[in-house]
Amino acid sequence: MRVRAKYILGPDFSIVENASLSFEKGVITEIGRATNTDKADLDFEESIIIPGMVNGHTHLDLCFAAGRVPVTGSFTHWLGGVLREIRAGNDNPEQVEQGVVDGLKQSIKAGVTLLGDIARSPQSTRFTISKVPFRPAIVSFGEVIALGNIREAATSRIAAAFDANCTDDTLRIGVSPHAPYSVEPSILSKIATHAEELNVPICSHAAETVSEEEFLLNGTGEFATYFQGLGIIDQEFEPAGKRSIKLLAETGNLTLHTILAHANYVDETDIDLLNETGTSVVFCPRTHAAFGHEPHPFKSMLAKGVNVCLGTDSLASTPNLSILEEMRFVYKDNPDLPLTTIMKMGTEFGARALGFYPETGTLQQSKKANFAVIPLAPRGNVAPLENILTSSENPCTCFINGENATAITDNPD
């Protein structure tokens, strides 16, 4: 099959004008300038074809809670709202399941062909995902929370996280020690050992708030109040006495196969450690802004060689699952950043973080035909990447493994 467009974002992220892309059996066979004699099966005309976008961090099982948890007050106040929704979801699992399915459909419409998902109940979420006949590729990170008087649940939570029953080549497992403040050090070490033995990636929320550091170092602050209110802190609990990044490093959780969600509050020593260990970071720009955090250090991370990709976080903190909107948000706040860097953060760097780069993340021969088509806004002689990063146009089509995912999702029969 051959598709044409005014532009294609080529293998090295340079612009190919008057371009065509050919693929067979879901694999790209050729990319280049089209000739007048080339016959295209689909001609997208005034559009640009880019690699399928990658959502490095989301929570599909919170899609049902969209718009229900206003981002107001402290972080733990919001976290309490999320917990209330989770408890409500436990009483209505069909609603949660439908939210997961809707999140996958929304992702396809947004041009996302790969995502990293934190699964609170990994076995049921993976089963739901496995029943969806056409979807993005997914790394499902089974979540583990083990603190205070719920630490005894760690064994069953870890077993569920590593359960690969419903998985295949496009639904892979990972493990998510939720955060350094919600998983005790000995259990962090246990998780890291299992992950290394089974060659399973790790994703943890880390250095997300200033209050996190106070709780880890001293066992005080808003997190202490929050956990005490839940009745979790018991007599055996002791603060870790270390900041997030150092704690994760010392427990073996910073590796080439680790992704840290957020990493909002890190210093240069932390960034050096992330680079040395090959740890990736997922920056969630709109969620970051919604909580009023200090400017994210992602540019310092990139400058030091850290692989930084983009994520949306959950629909409990962001309006939709569009990585294109995240890229636009980054560009608006950082007009000095090279446009190709922003595009890579939303595509290639995410594929690298999730372990899918050998087969996706860029458009080049022998890689899967995963791409999104974005209409160009009528803006005169504006460079194509600037055009799509400053417009409000949504992807009109998304292909996954050479199949028109948008058409299949819109017309499942």
Side-chain angles (χ1 to χ4, degrees), residues 209-345:
T209 69
V210 174
S211 302
E212 175 181 327
E213 181 174 317
E214 180 182 358
F215 181 70
L216 284 170
L217 292 175
N218 306 312
T220 57
E222 68 171 277
F223 275 100
T225 302
Y226 175 69
F227 287 131
Q228 287 164 358
L230 294 175
I232 290 175
I233 301 298
D234 61 10
Q235 292 183 341
E236 295 180 37
F237 168 77
E238 293 182 2
K242 297 180 178 66
R243 297 173 66 244
S244 294
I245 305 304
K246 185 175 182 182
L247 176 59
L248 289 171
E250 291 186 358
T251 55
N253 281 273
L254 297 188
T255 75
L256 279 168
H257 306 295
T258 296
I259 306 171
L260 298 186
H262 308 300
N264 298 330
Y265 295 95
V266 296
D267 58 24
E268 292 300 315
T269 300
D270 294 329
I271 294 174
D272 287 338
L273 191 52
L274 295 176
N275 183 44
E276 290 167 9
T277 56
T279 298
S280 293
V281 169
V282 185
F283 173 34
C284 302
R286 291 181 294 168
T287 290
H288 185 93
F291 283 105
H293 293 301
E294 297 175 8
H296 194 279
F298 76 94
K299 286 191 280 191
S300 295
M301 295 178 181
L302 289 170
K304 289 199 170 184
V306 178
N307 184 57
V308 183
C309 60
L310 297 177
T312 61
D313 213 343
S314 78
L315 291 183
S317 64
T318 199
N320 55 51
L321 302 180
S322 171
I323 289 298
L324 180 58
E325 290 302 318
E326 301 292 349
M327 291 194 288
R328 287 169 172 164
F329 198 94
V330 170
Y331 180 57
K332 182 179 179 181
D333 278 1
N334 303 273
D336 59 318
L337 200 63
L339 301 185
T340 53
T341 297
I342 297 174
M343 297 303 298
K344 288 180 179 181
M345 290 173 70

Side-chain angles (χ1 to χ4, degrees), residues 5-20 31-34 47-51 339-340 343-344 363 374 376 382-389:
K6 185 170 184 178
Y7 302 108
I8 288 179
L9 195 56
D12 57 357
F13 283 79
S14 62
I15 297 294
V16 181
E17 190 171 358
N18 185 25
S20 71
I31 298 174
R33 289 180 63 87
S47 300
I48 179 171
I49 296 175
I50 70 169
L339 301 185
T340 53
M343 297 303 298
K344 288 180 179 181
L363 296 178
I374 305 171
L376 297 165
V382 176
L385 292 187
E386 183 179 359
N387 185 300
I388 63 170
L389 289 177

Side-chain angles (χ1 to χ4, degrees), residues 1-4 20-23 30 33-34 38-43:
M1 184 172 188
R2 182 190 299 271
V3 297
R4 292 179 64 167
S20 71
L21 183 152
S22 300
F23 51 91
E30 185 181 6
R33 289 180 63 87
D38 286 338
K39 183 179 180 181
D41 297 283
L42 287 172
D43 193 337

